[in-house]
Amino acid sequence: MSRQTTRERIPQLGILVSLAVAEFVMTLDLSIVNVALPSIRIDLGFAADSLQWVVNAYALAFGGILLLGGRMADLFGRRRVFCSALAVFSLASLGCALTPGAGALVAARVVQGLGAGVLAPTTLSILTAVYPTPSQRNRALSIWTAVAIGGGAAGGVIGGVLTAALSWRWVFLVNVPVGTVLFGYGLLRLPREPRRALRERVDVAGAVTATAGLSALVWALVRAEVAGWGSVAVLSGLAAAALLLGGFLVIEQRLAHPPLVPLSVFRSRLVTAGNLLSFLSFVPVMATWYLLSIYLQRVLGCTPVEVGLWFLPMSLAVVGGSQVGFRLVVRVDARVLFGVGALLGAVGLDRLGRLSAGSSVVWVVVAATITMVGGGLLSAPITVAATSGLGPEQGGLAGGLLTTTRQVGGAVGLAVMGTLAAAHTGAAGSGPAAAMTAGSAAAFTTGALVFVVTAVVGALTLPARLAPPATATSPPGRHDALSQGRRATVRRG
């Protein structure tokens, strides 16, 4: 091996490690908070119907700015945007750790989600630029993806240990030293890019109206349990959501040049089907993690560490189901694969819908693991459908839309199922443990019905055969970073 080749590989390896760690931290932050929720509720005085905003505030901000984040990296330079977004994410994490009250924590989570939503597509953009050849890029993406999945799987365990040994504040504080090191590395080692003249405008109006509209919708859904559907607050929230989301459609169709989301992409049946199914399939998922974390600790008396360990097989079930799905998606009828995944999810949640205050932890975890295997199987047909309907030059847009619909589906599902659980808990009229069990069981039964509906929609909208997206003949541009990762996974299958 030549001395020049060695010099070229060392910085590339360092960049890959830094990008993988950044993705690990972002993915970790989606799961690490779940175990700490009961402690956060007690310390900061969250009401039962507002605790879910600790999760939803991050998810909505993350999903709402994701597409804009990718455009910002293209226009302002990857290194600048990476370091700026990392600084915002790290400072917001510090704000979460030091927050004096519930409202301040939710506000800090919004800022944290905005930083992560810009950082996520930027890391992919840097990775595909540093590894320009397909073989190098696919190897790097496989490592990057494995680390990202590891973050989700490790979040429950790490969150449980930190919460039990130190405090829930450490689930946020741990991001600060990691972010500081990554920020310094990014300034010193990431490739510098020349300043470029801005020839295209950034569709900030589209991103703001979409995120604000979705937030208003979720707020109204959560508020309905307390104030009632006919209250002024709920009706005002729904009206604001309709106006903002309608404004988003007008902006994207008539005013934005270029638009954040060209509505013409939904002329593709595959893109429309993939994103609709992505939304529906995630409606029960985020709420399941949220409700189980509270149920295991407050009803069954598990410690945060124990909950983290019990969550580990559930996380691995998602990974295993996803890997099996990607191996089968190009070999079997996609509708059958999707239907099996959705029905497994429904069976698991139906079992959880039969909870009692005396249910064993093993029984609960087995039922939840069945649900997560089903959820993992769903990811392959959804991903391939959503990314196959557009050309390679629009791969980043396809991947960004897919991630956004997942986040939004999870946020809406958490609002609906969390509100339903709170309503049934209040109406149970029995002891606290039995009331909370009744509320969780009602929410899980609703989630099972959503999975059944998802299976029917998949049978009606998916084709029998799904081919992986076409491979680009040139290095990926600004639109195809996310789909390259999915293509790598499909090819490995």
Side-chain angles (χ1 to χ4, degrees):
M1 181 182 296
S2 68
R3 192 174 297 175
Q4 181 181 3
T5 303
T6 303
R7 285 199 303 268
E8 288 174 354
R9 285 194 172 185
I10 291 174
Q12 285 185 351
L13 178 60
I15 290 172
L16 174 59
V17 170
S18 67
L19 297 178
V21 172
E23 185 64 20
F24 179 89
V25 171
M26 284 185 289
T27 309
L28 184 76
D29 219 70
L30 286 168
S31 59
I32 195 174
V33 176
N34 284 314
V35 176
L37 287 172
S39 298
I40 293 173
R41 182 190 66 83
I42 294 171
D43 281 2
L44 299 185
F46 272 94
D49 63 328
S50 62
L51 181 62
Q52 59 185 271
W53 280 104
V54 178
V55 178
N56 265 348
Y58 182 90
L60 283 171
F62 184 98
I65 203 172
L66 187 68
L67 293 170
L68 181 62
R71 295 288 297 127
M72 290 172 65
D74 296 335
L75 295 176
F76 300 118
R78 301 180 186 93
R79 174 177 166 273
R80 296 185 191 94
V81 173
F82 177 87
C83 292
S84 299
L86 190 60
V88 170
F89 178 83
S90 301
L91 289 173
S93 298
L94 180 62
C96 291
L98 301 179
T99 183
L105 176 59
V106 172
R109 285 287 279 171
V110 170
V111 179
Q112 193 186 32
L114 292 175
V118 175
L119 188 61
T122 304
T123 59
L124 271 173
S125 183
I126 294 172
L127 189 148
T128 53
V130 170
Y131 294 89
T133 65
S135 60
Q136 287 181 330
R137 188 187 311 121
N138 289 344
R139 283 196 296 270
L141 281 167
S142 66
I143 296 172
W144 181 88
T145 302
V147 171
I149 292 173
V157 178
I158 296 175
V161 171
L162 291 175
T163 302
L166 299 169
S167 161
W168 63 263
R169 296 180 185 274
W170 277 88
V171 305
F172 301 111
L173 197 59
V174 71
N175 295 333
V176 179
V178 178
T180 302
V181 172
L182 291 176
F183 180 85
Y185 183 88
L187 284 179
L188 296 174
R189 296 295 184 184
L190 288 183
R192 295 178 179 270
E193 298 169 287
R195 292 186 178 273
R196 64 188 77 179
L198 294 182
R199 296 176 181 155
E200 296 180 2
R201 289 181 293 178
V202 178
D203 184 14
V204 176
V208 170
T209 52
T211 305
L214 292 169
S215 299
L217 174 62
V218 172
W219 181 85
L221 293 173
V222 173
R223 187 64 183 166
E225 189 273 324
V226 177
W229 286 101
S231 67
V232 174
V234 172
L235 293 176
S236 298
L238 293 174
L243 287 173
L244 288 164
L245 294 175
F248 169 74
L249 294 177
V250 172
I251 290 169
E252 299 308 289
Q253 190 165 13
R254 299 179 180 275
L255 303 178
H257 302 288
L260 190 64
V261 182
L263 300 182
S264 59
V265 301
F266 293 106
R267 294 172 187 165
S268 166
R269 177 185 171 185
L270 282 177
V271 170
T272 302
N275 283 280
L276 175 60
L277 295 173
S278 173
F279 174 88
L280 289 174
S281 66
F282 259 68
V283 165
V285 170
M286 190 182 295
T288 298
W289 291 98
Y290 171 87
L291 293 169
L292 280 177
S293 174
I294 295 174
Y295 172 82
L296 288 173
Q297 292 183 68
R298 296 184 61 190
V299 176
L300 298 189
C302 296
T303 67
V305 175
E306 289 171 339
V307 172
L309 292 173
W310 285 120
F311 274 178
L312 190 57
M314 295 162 54
S315 300
L316 295 177
V318 176
V319 177
S322 176
Q323 292 299 308
V324 171
F326 275 106
R327 290 182 180 277
L328 294 178
V329 69
V330 295
R331 302 174 185 173
V332 302
D333 190 316
R335 295 168 300 186
V336 173
L337 177 61
F338 187 87
V340 170
L343 292 178
L344 276 175
V347 168
L349 286 186
D350 178 69
R351 297 294 94 191
L352 289 176
R354 304 169 191 269
L355 284 175
S356 69
S359 297
S360 72
V361 178
V362 173
W363 184 88
V364 171
V365 172
V366 168
T369 300
I370 292 172
T371 297
M372 296 306 159
V373 170
L377 287 174
L378 293 177
S379 64
I382 288 174
T383 299
V384 176
T387 55
S388 295
L390 298 176
E393 73 283 357
Q394 292 182 300
L397 172 63
L401 279 172
L402 182 64
T403 306
T404 301
T405 52
R406 284 175 176 169
Q407 294 293 330
V408 173
V412 171
L414 180 54
V416 172
M417 292 174 62
T419 300
L420 183 65
H424 278 74
T425 298
S430 53
M436 185 170 294
T437 301
S440 299
F444 290 136
T445 299
T446 302
L449 293 175
V450 173
F451 269 129
V452 172
V453 171
T454 304
V456 174
V457 175
L460 295 174
T461 59
L462 287 174
R465 294 293 175 184
L466 282 173
T471 304
T473 56
S474 59
R478 63 176 179 241
H479 293 303
D480 70 340
L482 288 171
S483 66
Q484 285 289 345
R486 302 300 184 188
R487 286 200 290 271
T489 308
V490 172
R491 279 198 296 269
R492 286 197 302 272

